[in-house]
């Protein structure tokens, strides 16, 4: 697990799930801090590196928890919820959650997402990124695959840089449109689909089966290193 003995807050009112997640984290080398209420969860969040959050808390709506925490903390939030509706996912991600995992879930997937979020919120993002056979130099505004220079337009590079800066995080269509094109284009998702397709053609070995620029159906996209 990224970082020695990373402290992870588990904010979950169901004791069985709380113990299940806590045991999985301990076996992976983390130090879980288990809480059953939003009040205790916010206190624990101030002393941990990652928050795993259930949306159905007894004393506060999970979306309100995320918004409250985002007033003072940028640390990652992984939502665990039985709510599988895309609208619930989008609302949580737009409120400031970094990722969303639907119950029931497997231990392997849970730990993989925790690792990605802990890595992403570790040291500052380096200017040079490598994945597969691609190298992206953010400072030099350049990209190459092997020895071949990749010619990216300004928008393509800005979209890629936004994804790299949020590696492992689900980015909603709205977030990406505002970050890359500005607030006036929030509803024009067809632009985004076109440029994601272009990036895949330039960066993925098989654009029809992408391994790095992944679609989160109905929600947005995730860059997987």
């Amino acid at each position: 697990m990224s970082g020695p003995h990373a402290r992870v807050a588990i904010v979950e009112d169901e004791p069985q799930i709380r113990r299940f997640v806590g045991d999985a984290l301990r076996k992976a080398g983390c130090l879980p801090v288990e809480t059953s209420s939003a009040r205790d969860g916010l206190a624990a969040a101030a002393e941990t590196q990652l928050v795993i959050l259930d949306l159905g808390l007894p004393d506060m709506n999970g979306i309100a928890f995320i918004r409250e925490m985002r007033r003072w903390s940028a640390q990652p939030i992984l939502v665990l919820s039985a709510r599988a509706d895309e609208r619930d996912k989008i609302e949580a991600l737009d409120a400031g959650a970094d990722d969303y995992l639907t119950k029931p879930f497997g231990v392997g997937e849970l730990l993989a997402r925790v690792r990605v979020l802990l890595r992403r919120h570790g040291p500052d993002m380096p200017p040079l990124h490598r994945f597969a056979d691609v190298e992206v130099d953010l400072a030099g505004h350049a990209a190459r695959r092997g020895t071949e220079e990749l010619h990216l337009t300004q928008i393509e590079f800005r979209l890629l840089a936004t994804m790299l800066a949020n590696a492992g995080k689900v980015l909603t269509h709205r977030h990406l449109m505002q970050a890359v094109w500005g607030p006036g284009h929030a509803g024009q998702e067809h632009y985004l689909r076109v440029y994601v397709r272009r990036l895949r053609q330039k960066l993925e070995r098989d654009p029809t089966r992408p391994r790095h620029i992944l679609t989160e159906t109905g929600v947005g996209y995730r860059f997987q290193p």
Side-chain angles (χ1 to χ4, degrees), residues 44-63:
E47 301 177 353
T48 53
Q49 295 164 258
L50 170 74
V51 172
I52 296 177
L53 173 69
D54 174 41
L55 292 181
L57 299 172
D59 57 336
M60 182 186 289
N61 177 280
I63 302 300

Side-chain angles (χ1 to χ4, degrees), residues 8-55:
V8 179
I10 305 168
V11 190
E12 167 65 69
D13 66 325
E14 293 186 39
Q16 290 182 324
I17 296 178
R18 196 168 61 243
R19 286 195 297 268
F20 173 74
V21 173
D23 289 345
L25 290 171
R26 271 186 287 271
K27 290 176 182 177
C30 288
L31 298 175
V33 178
E34 300 180 22
T35 67
S36 59
S37 69
R39 181 190 61 188
D40 293 340
L42 287 168
E47 301 177 353
T48 53
Q49 295 164 258
L50 170 74
V51 172
I52 296 177
L53 173 69
D54 174 41
L55 292 181

Side-chain angles (χ1 to χ4, degrees), residues 85-215:
D85 191 276
E86 288 175 358
R87 289 173 296 180
D88 293 314
K89 295 181 182 181
I90 291 170
E91 186 179 17
L93 294 165
D94 277 343
D98 293 81
D99 203 353
Y100 194 111
L101 189 56
T102 304
K103 301 174 183 177
F105 54 87
V107 171
E109 183 174 10
L110 169 68
L111 294 179
R113 296 194 186 205
V114 167
R115 284 195 298 270
V116 168
L117 290 175
L118 287 173
R119 280 200 305 267
R120 181 177 153 252
H121 284 258
D124 291 340
M125 185 176 64
L128 201 62
H129 287 263
R130 295 183 178 88
F131 55 94
D133 58 345
V134 175
E135 181 178 273
V136 181
D137 180 359
L138 294 179
H141 208 278
R144 62 186 62 85
R145 175 189 285 151
T147 58
E148 176 193 0
E149 290 289 333
L150 297 175
H151 300 288
L152 303 181
T153 67
Q154 287 189 357
I155 289 180
E156 288 169 351
F157 199 89
R158 194 153 63 236
L159 177 58
L160 178 59
T162 301
M163 289 184 168
L164 288 173
N166 294 277
K169 178 178 179 178
V170 179
L171 298 175
T172 64
H173 297 120
R174 181 184 182 86
H175 177 99
L176 285 169
M177 291 300 303
Q178 290 183 335
V180 178
W181 282 271
H185 297 79
Q188 300 176 3
E189 295 173 9
H190 57 284
Y191 286 135
L192 182 58
R193 288 194 294 271
V194 168
Y195 280 91
V196 166
R197 185 166 64 247
R198 290 180 182 177
L199 277 182
R200 283 173 172 162
Q201 290 170 346
K202 294 179 179 182
L203 301 175
E204 299 278 3
R205 290 184 178 179
D206 183 355
T208 63
R209 301 176 64 185
R211 295 180 56 196
H212 303 290
I213 302 175
L214 307 181
T215 298

Side-chain angles (χ1 to χ4, degrees), residues 65-81:
F65 180 103
I66 296 169
R67 289 177 177 147
E68 172 62 25
M69 186 175 151
R70 281 292 172 254
R71 292 172 59 188
W72 50 269
S73 174
Q75 69 167 284
I77 301 173
L78 169 59
V79 170
L80 295 184
S81 178

